[in-house]
Amino acid sequence: MATLYHFPFCANSRFIRLVLAEMGLEPSLVEERPWDRRDAFLLINPAGTTPVLMEQGGLVVPGGGIIAEYLDETRGLGLTGRRLMPDHPAERVEVRRLMDWFLVKFDAEVTGYLVTEKIAKRFMTSATGGGPPDMNAIRAARTNVRYHLKYIGYLMARRRWIAGDHLTYADLAAAAHLSCVDYLGDVPWDEDETARDWYARVKSRPSFRALLADRVAGMPPAGHYADLDF
Amino acid sequence: MATLYHFPFCANSRFIRLVLAEMGLEPSLVEERPWDRRDAFLLINPAGTTPVLMEQGGLVVPGGGIIAEYLDETRGLGLTGRRLMPDHPAERVEVRRLMDWFLVKFDAEVTGYLVTEKIAKRFMTSATGGGPPDMNAIRAARTNVRYHLKYIGYLMARRRWIAGDHLTYADLAAAAHLSCVDYLGDVPWDEDETARDWYARVKSRPSFRALLADRVAGMPPAGHYADLDF
């Protein structure tokens, strides 16, 4: 059994939890708070970031996108019909483009700000960056999320799933990030019904259940967070 | 013939120029200044970033890491012995980890700051963010580059190339980023001889020549920039 080092509100960790659940794999989960910069964790991932997958044999695979590629290469072929990466190079480009869009760009423009300011800072000491949330960062994220939501709506008006005809890594990456923002009540769902319908579909999958059960101590989720019909 | 939309001092564009040259491919080059947010460019890459590879048939492949994966999938197998991605999943993890380290992490901590503050701002209008360089950003980048250089030295004390026994995408990604920082005179080469020796080796490859000929108008490179023996 593999081990996943994750933080429950690290969206890229959530992405890998979704991927593993879709593949029918059950890792043991170790919670890591990356800002603690624990020595033993830095030894396995010098970048100091979650998620990190460790195989039973000791192989270390760090980073959402890299774990996704690795899992497809080592487990993907066994998943006929449920594989999360397409075969054709042009379709792979589109899945990777959108996976990267959410894991890197959306993270830098939305999730990173919100999770740091509203969640991580509650757990950090003042030496590691704790303190009251920076309202400018939160406002920037709330502005940015609107155009990302519109972009999802734009794509979903033309496609069955975010990257094409099938559920892929792109849907799971986007939904993982939105789930963190949604916990905090910062997704303006009423601005894009098409995007909301897509999210309701992904959120209803069994792979999503564990994410919907996560809670931040002392900070309940937005009222509709775990509702499948919101 | 494919077309590469690039900016000469965008390090991720340089990475792809190196990759194409190592593969013996000669794209036509179109210079793009991403901060202009040109409508026609946003249509082909909504993220608005360079590099973007466009195949003769019209397929658009955006982003350094994604182009590298795509080129390996479509041209890699013809490059026996000179392929830039290894075959084995564990070795692929290491190449991707370090490719990502430089294309994303080093970019966020070093190159992004320096190229924006010292180069891009010269070309931007005040409406698009132009103006005098932010010395705090430059100082942060100069501090950060030291630990990255040390990390390269650490790896190169144990390996022939950055990710293992062979030249891979990881070397080209790292060298592309260092080449931008080196143009600006901000690599403290005397702090790590092992890292410098590795860079001299990559810089001596024929694929590097075009990069060493690039110039910013009105801003000559650091004296040793194009010296193969520096």
Side-chain angles (χ1 to χ4, degrees), chain B residues 148-163:
Chain B
H148 286 284
L149 198 66
K150 214 169 134 185
Y151 187 47
I152 293 173
Y154 165 86
L155 293 171
M156 290 309 301
R158 288 154 182 80
R159 299 171 173 184
R160 274 195 67 215
W161 296 95
I162 282 211

Side-chain angles (χ1 to χ4, degrees), chain B residues 52-115:
Chain B
V52 173
L53 185 77
M54 191 189 272
E55 290 275 34
Q56 204 154 21
L59 176 69
V60 169
V61 189
I66 296 166
I67 298 171
E69 298 283 357
Y70 171 79
L71 287 173
D72 185 64
E73 287 172 359
T74 54
R75 273 81 158 185
L77 291 176
L79 300 171
T80 1
R82 295 184 301 123
R83 199 172 155 203
L84 297 162
M85 261 305 251
D87 263 332
H88 192 276
E91 292 169 14
R92 293 165 78 83
V93 167
E94 185 63 354
V95 170
R96 287 183 176 128
R97 179 181 79 84
L98 290 164
M99 180 163 73
D100 198 65
W101 184 288
F102 290 98
L103 299 186
V104 181
K105 183 178 170 67
F106 189 94
D107 189 63
E109 297 174 1
V110 182
T111 332
Y113 287 134
L114 292 173
V115 171

Side-chain angles (χ1 to χ4, degrees), chain A residues 37-53:
Chain A
R37 300 189 66 73
R38 209 165 52 86
D39 284 342
F41 184 62
L42 291 173
L43 268 179
I44 65 167
N45 182 19
T49 49
T50 48
V52 173
L53 184 77

Side-chain angles (χ1 to χ4, degrees), chain A residues 3-8 27-33 38 50 52:
Chain A
T3 301
L4 184 71
Y5 294 82
H6 79 123
F7 177 65
S28 51
L29 292 174
V30 176
E31 186 172 332
E32 187 67 42
R33 296 179 173 182
R38 209 165 52 86
T50 48
V52 173

